[in-house]
Amino acid sequence: MSTVRHFLRSRPASHKVHVLSPQHTAWDALEIMSEYNIGALPVIEDGRLVGFFSERDYTRKVELKGRTAATTPIHEIMVRKVITGSLDYKIEDCMRIMSENHIRHLPIVEGGKIVGMVTIRDVIRVLLQEKDLLIRDLEGYIAGGGYASA
């Protein structure tokens, strides 16, 4: 089973976690999320993860409350109690945590600093790849050719 460390190392070097500061506005966040086609952003202050902001937060805490995105600071609407993961977690651990907490993004933190992000899409892709490999191995074994990955 893959670890988060292994998964993050396998990503292209160009893959970057985009972040906000608490002083950014909801509008700033929407622009960044739109530009990079992402649904959530960690909020960083002095190099530390202090919050999290998602499209759901915008919908529920700005639009439904009649606020204005251009003037609403992130620090007023971000989630402050952020659920995080570790580099040593297995991908299945991430899936369980995300499922239990009804979240789609899991910031990966080491030494209080964000080092990566795992999304539910990442988890599904890795688990499907691992299942496909297992199926090929079993098919090879059953056919008498031994394990395919050996």
Side-chain angles (χ1 to χ4, degrees):
M1 179 59 55
S2 295
T3 64
V4 170
R5 182 183 317 274
H6 179 261
F7 168 73
L8 291 177
R9 283 185 183 156
S10 72
R11 281 189 166 163
S14 61
H15 194 276
K16 178 183 174 190
V17 176
H18 301 280
V19 300
L20 295 169
S21 75
Q23 291 72 38
H24 277 105
T25 65
W27 185 263
D28 298 327
L30 294 173
E31 284 184 322
I32 294 168
M33 290 188 289
S34 176
E35 180 178 349
Y36 295 103
N37 195 29
I38 54 178
L41 293 162
V43 182
I44 306 295
E45 187 170 47
D46 298 325
R48 300 262 186 222
L49 180 65
V50 296
F52 204 76
F53 181 79
S54 71
E55 293 167 328
R56 279 186 180 176
D57 296 318
Y58 170 73
T59 303
R60 295 174 182 178
K61 298 174 184 175
V62 178
E63 278 300 311
L64 288 177
K65 300 290 184 187
R67 299 177 86 169
T68 305
T71 60
T72 303
I74 290 297
H75 68 85
E76 290 182 7
I77 55 176
M78 68 184 185
V79 171
R80 294 180 185 278
K81 189 175 180 182
V82 182
I83 297 165
T84 63
S86 161
L87 288 171
D88 296 323
Y89 281 11
K90 292 183 171 135
I91 293 297
E92 281 186 349
D93 297 330
C94 295
M95 179 179 66
R96 181 184 45 75
I97 290 166
M98 295 166 92
S99 178
E100 288 174 357
N101 292 284
H102 309 284
I103 58 175
R104 294 182 235 167
H105 303 84
L106 187 65
I108 306 302
V109 175
E110 184 173 56
K113 297 187 185 246
I114 190 162
V115 295
M117 179 83 70
V118 175
T119 68
I120 194 68
R121 183 174 294 159
D122 296 330
V123 168
I124 291 168
R125 186 174 52 248
V126 169
L127 292 177
L128 287 175
Q129 288 170 349
E130 289 179 354
K131 299 300 181 207
D132 286 346
L133 180 59
L134 177 61
I135 289 168
R136 282 195 309 267
D137 283 348
L138 291 172
E139 286 172 341
Y141 180 77
I142 290 167
Y147 285 104
S149 61

